[in-house]
Amino acid sequence: MRFSHDQKLDELAERIEAGERLTFADGLVLYASADLTGLGKLADFVRRKKHGRTTYFNVNRHFNPTNVCYVDCKFCGFYRTPRQPDAYTHNIADSLRIAGEAVKEGATELHITGGLNTKLPFGYFTDLLSSLKTQYPQLHLKAFTMV
């Protein structure tokens, strides 16, 4: 079956159709391909082979425990200095409340990003994660991907 205009992707498709497991090098070929339509078709083929017409997805909510940040990234309109009036850092109780609202809205994943607040001790973050996992074990925590 032809999946794309990318010959290397089509070569991988033949192996995938035959049920072969891909290697790390194959993953690099997928990553390097500019044919997004072909990649999508190939991914859909694998999904249908494994799960039929069933599709799985996350209901994702973003949560920013703080917007206080010492980095002044040029693309970020989010960060605040500690002295700005709209700067915030949520305590653990507020964080749990916000996560609870997300769960009530159907969230299955909490994506935690936020500022780099150098005044917060490391324990704040470990307490935050362990509290969230204890209170909402059904939530997948995807955390601190910004940096």
Side-chain angles (χ1 to χ4, degrees), residues 101-131:
E101 290 169 4
V103 169
K104 285 179 190 170
E105 293 171 356
T108 59
E109 178 179 84
L110 196 62
H111 187 170
I112 304 168
T113 58
L116 300 175
N117 186 341
T118 59
K119 301 298 182 199
L120 292 174
F122 185 71
Y124 169 84
F125 298 100
T126 56
D127 290 349
L128 173 66
L129 295 175
S130 62
S131 296

Side-chain angles (χ1 to χ4, degrees), residues 21-133:
R21 186 157 177 84
L22 297 183
T23 66
F24 181 80
D26 296 332
L28 293 176
V29 170
L30 293 170
Y31 181 75
S33 178
D35 186 356
L36 293 181
T37 302
L39 287 167
K41 287 178 183 177
L42 189 53
D44 185 58
F45 172 82
V46 171
R47 179 189 61 82
R48 287 175 188 258
K49 190 173 178 180
K50 287 184 166 198
H51 305 290
R53 296 193 49 85
T54 302
T55 300
Y56 298 91
F57 60 93
N58 285 324
V59 177
N60 179 292
R61 294 293 182 270
H62 278 185
F63 170 60
N64 300 299
T66 182
N67 67 348
V68 174
C69 191
Y70 80 93
V71 180
D72 183 8
C73 298
K74 300 303 176 211
F75 60 85
C76 181
F78 169 79
Y79 95 101
R80 298 294 182 264
T81 64
R83 293 190 181 112
Q84 288 181 282
D86 56 347
Y88 67 83
T89 298
H90 294 296
N91 61 33
I92 302 297
D94 285 340
S95 299
L96 291 172
R97 179 186 51 76
I98 292 166
E101 290 169 4
V103 169
K104 285 179 190 170
E105 293 171 356
T108 59
E109 178 179 84
L110 196 62
H111 187 170
I112 304 168
T113 58
L116 300 175
N117 186 341
T118 59
K119 301 298 182 199
L120 292 174
F122 185 71
Y124 169 84
F125 298 100
T126 56
D127 290 349
L128 173 66
L129 295 175
S130 62
S131 296
L132 286 167
K133 211 55 186 159

